[in-house]
Amino acid sequence: MENKKELRNWLDAFNLDHPLVIAGPCSAETEEQVLKIAHQLKDTDATVLRAGIWKPRTRPGNFEGVGALGLKWLQKAKEETGMLTTTEVANANHVELALAHDVDILWIGARTTVSPFIVQDIADALRGTDKTVLIKNPVNPDLSLWLGAVERFHTADIQNLGVIHRGFSTYEKTRYRNNPEWQIAIDLQNRFPDLPLILDPSHIAGRRDIIHDLSQTALDLNYDGLMVETHYDPDNAWSDAAQQITPDTLIKMMVDLKIRKTEGNEIEYNNKLNTLRTQIDVVDHQLIESLGKRMKIADQIGHLKSDNNVAILQTKRWNEILGKMILEGEQHNLSEEFILRVFKAIHQESINHQHKIALSK
Ligand code: PEP
Ligand code: MN
């Protein structure tokens, strides 16, 4: 697949003066719930109503969706509000049912994108469709797997494509339900700048208080849209209660978010500068996290040395590290002088940490 302007035709056709907004509940629960939320979203920035009909749950025993019955509710919501509709499809049977109920946009869930066999089955079932297909990133941080899924749909002669960034699972507990790993989406965007990129802050956050900040970062990185889980009674939602926001909160968020203008030379310069600056922020954040991780390991070494009465400073080991880093630095176009300065500072911080540990024993 190559980058082409046409990749964004389906999105440009909406003619929006703001990012695309897809909103609605995690799951369709009842007919009243779907219709009520659709009406609350009708006159907002949201163009597309989302609702999960078949819910892939990591562990059994949770609410697994109302099934095909819910498609009728989506259809009714579309008739009553004029909103477009979208739902997740995870096999050929879902595709058939969703098409029969005139769902406008189909999304491929994170647990599906990981499986090339299933992705291929769905692509075959959709071959040649003029519906839009949005592909969520796979649960594991693997750009090739994500792109591979996009390519399978492209090869099945599906022109209207986009991707949804919903974060990646980690074994370690972090502040996110799914780690954003912005760099992966940025790499994808650099390779396919015209492929619409949408953020799903809800599944990254897992909690409602950081949805705004995640969305702002995405807009600063030039994303094309947001998919936000929205419910009139989030706390009592049948799935993903902690991360859903009310339609009113969504309206307020869309007012508060700084949305970039997209025309004119100066605006283009500012947009590019802003995107690059946000990319720098992402990398700086990773640097701090890596430094923190490094110091935690140094602390463990500190305990070990102090328990075994070994001196903190071990010159031979330190010289080995420096030599290796200077060589690695060269490969990344980093000068010897710079590497020396950075690693001396890091080393000093490690020694300070280890001194503190030795004194506390
Ligand atoms: C969802 O959108 O409700 C969902 C299940 O998403 P994901 O595939 O990203 O987990
Ligand atoms: Mn959900």
Short mmCIF file of all heavy atoms in Angstrom, two decimals, residues 157-178:
data_model
loop_
_atom_site.label_atom_id
_atom_site.label_comp_id
_atom_site.label_asym_id
_atom_site.label_seq_id
_atom_site.Cartn_x
_atom_site.Cartn_y
_atom_site.Cartn_z
N ASP A 157 -9.81 -4.52 -1.97
CA ASP A 157 -10.50 -3.51 -2.76
C ASP A 157 -11.47 -2.65 -1.93
O ASP A 157 -12.56 -2.30 -2.37
CB ASP A 157 -11.25 -4.21 -3.91
CG ASP A 157 -11.48 -3.25 -5.06
OD1 ASP A 157 -10.76 -2.24 -5.13
OD2 ASP A 157 -12.40 -3.50 -5.87
N ILE A 158 -11.05 -2.36 -0.71
CA ILE A 158 -11.85 -1.47 0.15
C ILE A 158 -11.08 -0.14 0.21
O ILE A 158 -9.93 -0.10 0.64
CB ILE A 158 -12.04 -2.11 1.55
CG1 ILE A 158 -12.81 -3.42 1.38
CG2 ILE A 158 -12.77 -1.15 2.48
CD1 ILE A 158 -12.74 -4.35 2.55
N GLN A 159 -11.73 0.91 -0.28
CA GLN A 159 -11.02 2.19 -0.46
C GLN A 159 -11.12 3.08 0.77
O GLN A 159 -10.26 3.92 1.00
CB GLN A 159 -11.61 2.99 -1.64
CG GLN A 159 -11.81 2.20 -2.92
CD GLN A 159 -10.48 1.72 -3.48
OE1 GLN A 159 -9.45 2.34 -3.25
NE2 GLN A 159 -10.49 0.60 -4.19
N ASN A 160 -12.22 2.95 1.50
CA ASN A 160 -12.46 3.89 2.59
C ASN A 160 -11.95 3.32 3.90
O ASN A 160 -12.64 2.55 4.58
CB ASN A 160 -13.96 4.20 2.69
CG ASN A 160 -14.47 4.79 1.38
OD1 ASN A 160 -13.73 5.49 0.68
ND2 ASN A 160 -15.71 4.49 1.04
N LEU A 161 -10.73 3.70 4.22
CA LEU A 161 -10.07 3.09 5.38
C LEU A 161 -9.58 4.16 6.35
O LEU A 161 -9.34 5.30 5.96
CB LEU A 161 -8.86 2.27 4.91
CG LEU A 161 -9.16 1.02 4.09
CD1 LEU A 161 -7.87 0.44 3.52
CD2 LEU A 161 -9.88 -0.02 4.94
N GLY A 162 -9.39 3.76 7.59
CA GLY A 162 -8.79 4.64 8.59
C GLY A 162 -8.30 3.78 9.74
O GLY A 162 -8.60 2.57 9.79
N VAL A 163 -7.55 4.39 10.65
CA VAL A 163 -7.05 3.63 11.79
C VAL A 163 -7.45 4.31 13.10
O VAL A 163 -7.61 5.53 13.15
CB VAL A 163 -5.52 3.45 11.74
CG1 VAL A 163 -5.11 2.48 10.65
CG2 VAL A 163 -4.80 4.78 11.56
N ILE A 164 -7.64 3.48 14.12
CA ILE A 164 -7.97 4.01 15.45
C ILE A 164 -6.88 3.59 16.42
O ILE A 164 -6.56 2.40 16.55
CB ILE A 164 -9.32 3.46 15.95
CG1 ILE A 164 -10.45 3.80 14.97
CG2 ILE A 164 -9.64 4.01 17.35
CD1 ILE A 164 -11.81 3.22 15.37
N HIS A 165 -6.33 4.59 17.11
CA HIS A 165 -5.27 4.34 18.08
C HIS A 165 -5.93 4.22 19.46
O HIS A 165 -6.47 5.19 19.97
CB HIS A 165 -4.29 5.53 17.99
CG HIS A 165 -3.22 5.52 19.02
ND1 HIS A 165 -2.58 6.66 19.44
CD2 HIS A 165 -2.66 4.51 19.73
CE1 HIS A 165 -1.68 6.36 20.35
NE2 HIS A 165 -1.71 5.07 20.55
N ARG A 166 -5.90 3.01 20.05
CA ARG A 166 -6.57 2.80 21.34
C ARG A 166 -5.61 2.30 22.42
O ARG A 166 -6.04 1.85 23.48
CB ARG A 166 -7.77 1.83 21.19
CG ARG A 166 -7.49 0.52 20.54
CD ARG A 166 -6.78 -0.49 21.38
NE ARG A 166 -7.68 -1.21 22.25
CZ ARG A 166 -7.28 -1.99 23.25
NH1 ARG A 166 -5.98 -2.16 23.50
NH2 ARG A 166 -8.15 -2.62 24.01
N GLY A 167 -4.31 2.41 22.11
CA GLY A 167 -3.32 2.05 23.13
C GLY A 167 -3.04 0.55 23.17
O GLY A 167 -3.72 -0.24 22.51
N PHE A 168 -2.01 0.19 23.96
CA PHE A 168 -1.46 -1.17 23.92
C PHE A 168 -1.39 -1.75 25.33
O PHE A 168 -1.07 -1.03 26.28
CB PHE A 168 -0.06 -1.11 23.31
CG PHE A 168 -0.06 -0.51 21.92
CD1 PHE A 168 0.05 0.87 21.74
CD2 PHE A 168 -0.21 -1.32 20.81
CE1 PHE A 168 0.03 1.44 20.46
CE2 PHE A 168 -0.22 -0.77 19.53
CZ PHE A 168 -0.10 0.60 19.36
N SER A 169 -1.65 -3.06 25.45
CA SER A 169 -1.59 -3.65 26.79
C SER A 169 -0.16 -3.74 27.29
O SER A 169 0.76 -3.93 26.50
CB SER A 169 -2.07 -5.10 26.86
OG SER A 169 -2.92 -5.46 25.96
N THR A 170 -0.04 -3.64 28.60
CA THR A 170 1.26 -3.86 29.22
C THR A 170 1.02 -4.73 30.44
O THR A 170 -0.06 -4.70 31.03
CB THR A 170 1.88 -2.55 29.76
OG1 THR A 170 0.88 -1.86 30.48
CG2 THR A 170 2.43 -1.69 28.66
N TYR A 171 2.02 -5.48 30.82
CA TYR A 171 1.89 -6.32 32.00
C TYR A 171 2.02 -5.45 33.26
O TYR A 171 1.28 -5.61 34.22
CB TYR A 171 2.94 -7.43 31.97
CG TYR A 171 2.77 -8.41 33.08
CD1 TYR A 171 1.57 -9.13 33.22
CD2 TYR A 171 3.77 -8.62 34.02
CE1 TYR A 171 1.39 -10.02 34.26
CE2 TYR A 171 3.60 -9.51 35.05
CZ TYR A 171 2.41 -10.21 35.17
OH TYR A 171 2.23 -11.09 36.21
N GLU A 172 2.95 -4.48 33.16
CA GLU A 172 3.12 -3.54 34.28
C GLU A 172 1.88 -2.67 34.41
O GLU A 172 1.32 -2.27 33.41
CB GLU A 172 4.23 -2.53 33.97
CG GLU A 172 5.63 -2.98 34.01
CD GLU A 172 6.53 -1.90 33.40
OE1 GLU A 172 6.47 -0.74 33.85
OE2 GLU A 172 7.27 -2.22 32.47
N LYS A 173 1.51 -2.33 35.63
CA LYS A 173 0.40 -1.38 35.82
C LYS A 173 0.91 0.03 35.54
O LYS A 173 1.94 0.44 36.05
CB LYS A 173 -0.14 -1.44 37.26
CG LYS A 173 -1.20 -2.49 37.45
CD LYS A 173 -2.61 -1.90 37.26
CE LYS A 173 -3.61 -2.87 36.65
NZ LYS A 173 -3.65 -2.98 35.20
N THR A 174 0.24 0.79 34.70
CA THR A 174 0.64 2.17 34.46
C THR A 174 -0.57 3.06 34.76
O THR A 174 -1.61 2.56 35.18
CB THR A 174 1.06 2.40 32.98
OG1 THR A 174 -0.12 2.27 32.16
CG2 THR A 174 2.09 1.38 32.53
N ARG A 175 -0.42 4.36 34.52
CA ARG A 175 -1.59 5.23 34.79
C ARG A 175 -2.67 5.03 33.75
O ARG A 175 -3.78 5.52 33.89
CB ARG A 175 -1.18 6.70 34.90
CG ARG A 175 -0.75 7.34 33.60
CD ARG A 175 -0.13 8.71 33.87
NE ARG A 175 -1.11 9.69 34.27
CZ ARG A 175 -1.45 10.76 33.55
NH1 ARG A 175 -0.90 10.94 32.35
NH2 ARG A 175 -2.31 11.63 33.99
N TYR A 176 -2.34 4.33 32.68
CA TYR A 176 -3.31 4.10 31.62
C TYR A 176 -3.84 2.67 31.67
O TYR A 176 -3.14 1.76 32.09
CB TYR A 176 -2.64 4.29 30.25
CG TYR A 176 -1.99 5.63 30.08
CD1 TYR A 176 -0.60 5.75 30.15
CD2 TYR A 176 -2.76 6.76 29.84
CE1 TYR A 176 0.00 6.99 29.98
CE2 TYR A 176 -2.16 7.99 29.68
CZ TYR A 176 -0.78 8.10 29.75
OH TYR A 176 -0.19 9.31 29.59
N ARG A 177 -5.05 2.48 31.15
CA ARG A 177 -5.53 1.11 30.97
C ARG A 177 -4.73 0.47 29.83
O ARG A 177 -4.35 -0.69 29.89
CB ARG A 177 -7.02 1.16 30.63
CG ARG A 177 -7.60 -0.20 30.29
CD ARG A 177 -9.10 -0.09 30.03
NE ARG A 177 -9.67 -1.34 29.61
CZ ARG A 177 -10.88 -1.46 29.09
NH1 ARG A 177 -11.66 -0.38 28.94
NH2 ARG A 177 -11.34 -2.63 28.73
N ASN A 178 -4.51 1.23 28.77
CA ASN A 178 -3.68 0.78 27.66
C ASN A 178 -2.68 1.87 27.33
O ASN A 178 -3.06 3.00 27.02
CB ASN A 178 -4.55 0.47 26.44
CG ASN A 178 -5.42 -0.75 26.65
OD1 ASN A 178 -4.93 -1.86 26.79
ND2 ASN A 178 -6.73 -0.55 26.74
#
